[in-house]
Amino acid sequence: AQSVTQPDIHITVSEGASLELRCNYSYGATPYLFWYVQSPGQGLQLLLKYFSGDTLVQGIKGFEAEFKRSQSSFNLRKPSVHWSDAAEYFCAVGERGAQKLVFGQGTRLTINP
Amino acid sequence: DAEITQSPRHKITETGRQVTLACHQTWNHNNMFWYRQDLGHGLRLIHYSYGVHDTNKGEVSDGYSVSRSNTEDLPLTLESAASSQTSVYFCASSELAGAHETQYFGPGTRLLVL
C-alpha cells in the first residue's frame, strides 16, 4: 500500500527566506502527487499536483515542487516566503486506477517577521 | 459561486448518541469523500461515493456510515459516538473519477464527544 512521510512536523522560517518542505512517498509505480495547504480554521486548498510530464511542477502562490523518482520525493519549495504562507501543508499520493488519496501527517509552517 | 459546505461547524455530543454531519456541494460533482483529521495522522479517508446510491469504505470506516440519495449531499453518520471519534471532519468532492483529479474541500466540522 502507498504511504507518505513528511519528516518535519513543524518548521519556522523568517519572512523573505526560502522554504523547502520535504515529502517522501512509498508506491510501486509512478504515483500521482499533490501538495495541499490548510490555513487556520479552513479546509484544504490544492497548491499543485504531478501526474506526468515535466518533473518540476509550478503551483499557485509562487510554490513549486519537484518529483524525484530516484529519491521517492516530492519536495515543495518557495524562493521567498510571506507571512501569509503560515499554514499547515500536506503532501498526498494517489494510486493510479483508484480515486483515493493517502495523506502525510502534515508540516506546520510558522513565519517569523 | 459553486462551493462545498459543511454543517454544523462545531458540535459537542455525548458518548452513545447518534450524530449526523452534513456535506453539501453545488458543483454537481460525482465523487464525494469524508476524511477525519487527527494530530499526527494527517487526513484519513472514512467513506467515499462515486455517485448516487454508491458508497465505499475507506481506511477508517468502523463506526461511521454514509448514504448518497442525490448528487449534492453526502451526510456522515456516527451510529453511536465514541470519544475516539473526537476529531475534525472534512468533506471533499471531485468532478471526475481518477486519483489525479483535484479534490475540493469543505471548511470542516469540529466534533467533540464527551
Side-chain angles (χ1 to χ4, degrees):
Chain A
Q2 66 267 41
S3 65
V4 178
T5 301
Q6 294 179 246
D8 305 304
I9 295 173
H10 185 204
I11 284 182
T12 300
V13 299
S14 298
E15 190 168 15
S18 63
L19 172 70
E20 183 169 27
L21 302 183
R22 296 184 290 165
C23 172
N24 294 100
Y25 67 90
S26 173
Y27 182 60
T30 301
Y32 297 122
L33 294 161
F34 303 78
W35 275 100
Y36 281 85
V37 61
Q38 183 183 28
S39 298
Q42 303 295 314
L44 279 71
Q45 179 185 22
L46 180 71
L47 283 176
L48 48 79
K49 64 181 179 182
Y50 169 81
F51 54 92
S52 67
D54 193 344
T55 56
L56 184 62
V57 182
Q58 302 298 320
I60 62 171
K61 305 184 180 185
F63 286 93
E64 67 177 25
E66 187 170 11
F67 169 55
K68 292 186 177 181
R69 184 191 306 274
S70 61
Q71 298 177 17
S72 297
S73 69
F74 189 57
N75 294 349
L76 182 71
R77 300 192 295 249
K78 187 170 185 178
S80 176
V81 297
H82 186 262
W83 63 266
S84 61
D85 293 324
E88 186 137 21
Y89 292 79
F90 292 94
C91 182
V93 61
E95 181 180 337
R96 290 177 183 264
Q99 175 67 16
K100 296 174 286 184
L101 294 181
V102 173
F103 285 83
Q105 303 93 321
T107 297
R108 184 160 63 94
L109 175 65
T110 299
I111 307 294
N112 280 338
Chain B
D1 283 346
E3 61 177 356
I4 182 166
T5 57
Q6 295 183 235
S7 61
R9 295 295 311 277
H10 302 270
K11 174 78 175 176
I12 300 174
T13 191
E14 295 176 344
T15 302
R17 289 190 179 269
Q18 185 181 77
V19 177
T20 297
L21 309 182
C23 175
H24 179 80
Q25 52 97 4
T26 58
W27 283 301
N28 204 35
H29 285 171
N30 286 323
N31 310 309
M32 296 183 73
F33 310 84
W34 273 104
Y35 294 90
R36 60 177 289 174
Q37 182 182 26
D38 304 289
L39 204 62
H41 289 279
L43 277 77
R44 292 180 290 175
L45 184 64
I46 305 172
H47 281 287
Y48 58 103
S49 168
Y50 289 152
V52 176
H53 302 310
D54 175 75
T55 62
N56 305 278
K57 293 182 178 180
E59 177 188 357
V60 289
S61 60
D62 287 349
Y64 302 95
S65 64
V66 293
S67 63
R68 188 91 179 269
S69 58
N70 59 54
T71 302
E72 295 80 16
D73 299 289
L74 186 69
L76 176 72
T77 298
L78 286 68
E79 304 294 345
S80 176
S83 57
S84 60
Q85 294 177 307
T86 292
S87 187
V88 182
Y89 292 86
F90 287 98
C91 179
S93 71
S94 67
E95 180 178 8
L96 300 174
H100 63 290
E101 285 296 314
T102 299
Q103 293 187 17
Y104 297 88
F105 285 79
T109 293
R110 190 173 294 271
L111 177 67
L112 175 60
V113 182
L114 300 175

